[in-house]
Amino acid sequence: MKKRHEQKLIILSFGLMILFSAPIILLFNSEREVFGLPMLYVYIFGVWLLSAVVSFIIFKKYDE
């Protein structure tokens, strides 16, 4: 794997560590709902989905 792809994955890891830290998660711990789901669940699964898509894009470029 090229060094720049490794660096992008490391940056993604640190970003996820910040996004999943307790103070940030507590910002979304409210009674509000989005499409009938609690805001906290939407945030957690949204960040997870976004990280999976970004990782897929990085690995797809690695195969080229």
Side-chain angles (χ1 to χ4, degrees), residues 18-53:
I18 291 169
L19 290 174
F20 283 128
S21 66
I24 303 296
I25 287 181
L26 289 176
L27 289 174
F28 294 94
N29 191 13
S30 67
E31 295 296 323
R32 291 185 1 191
E33 293 185 352
V34 178
F35 302 116
L37 297 170
M39 185 68 146
L40 181 62
Y41 294 163
V42 172
Y43 172 74
I44 289 174
F45 287 113
V47 169
W48 172 76
L49 181 65
L50 181 67
S51 69
V53 169

